[in-house]
Each structure stands twice: as structure tokens, then as C-alpha cells.
Amino acid sequence: MKCAITEFQQEQKKRMRSVQDAMDALSGKWKIAIISSICCYSKRRFSDILNDVEGVSNRMLSKELKELELNQLVKRTVLPTQPITVEYELTEHGNTLQRIISELSDWGTVHRNKIIGK
């Protein structure tokens, strides 16, 4: 019996570590909204994301996109145009978040309706 409890506790610690890893990659006020913007359109320019994510500043968007690149969730492509155009798209790894974003959106709709009573 004691062995089963210890195994359960070890599995729970692994699960919590996994949740923390996910939260570290997606933490902050803007990352999920940025990913959501890119999810909807497949490829987005910086200015498009800036318009989609209400309230984010240029500087903060730039910082968050760099962090998403470091976590291999977003790919940045510089196009040879004049002036230079930069596009962002989800990586293959980033695309694994599509289902989560969709479910989060659905939950947010239900939550808003519950809270405001509509």
C-alpha cells in the first residue's frame, strides 16, 4: 500500500512539473493572445498581431514574440521586401497548442456567460 502511495505522489510531482513547464512557456498577459492571433490566420505580420491583441505595446509584443521563438512555438520570417516585412507563424510544436487555444476560447465564452449572466 505504501508503495502505491509513493508512486502516486511521484506521478503527481511529475504532473505538477509538467504544468509548471507549460506555464513557464506561456506565462504572461499576452502570449496566449498572440498565439491565438497567429492560430486564426496561420501567418501574421507584426502590425496585424499588434492590432489583434488589444492593449499590448510594440515593445511588449516584440519581447513576447522573442520569448515564443526561444520556446520554439513561433517562427519569424523576414521577407525580402522594401520596406522589410516580418511574418510570424506557429512552428510544428506551436501548432500543438491549437486544440488548447480552441478549448480555452470555448471555456472563456462559457465563463463570461456565467459571470455576466448572458
Side-chain angles (χ1 to χ4, degrees), residues 53-68:
V53 182
E54 196 172 308
V56 69
S57 68
N58 284 3
R59 185 174 175 191
M60 183 56 71
L61 179 56
S62 180
K63 176 187 166 295
E64 297 287 64
L65 284 165
K66 285 176 186 172
E67 289 179 18
L68 289 168

Side-chain angles (χ1 to χ4, degrees), residues 46-57:
F46 184 90
S47 59
D48 296 328
I49 299 169
L50 193 63
N51 289 330
D52 286 346
V53 182
E54 196 172 308
V56 69
S57 68

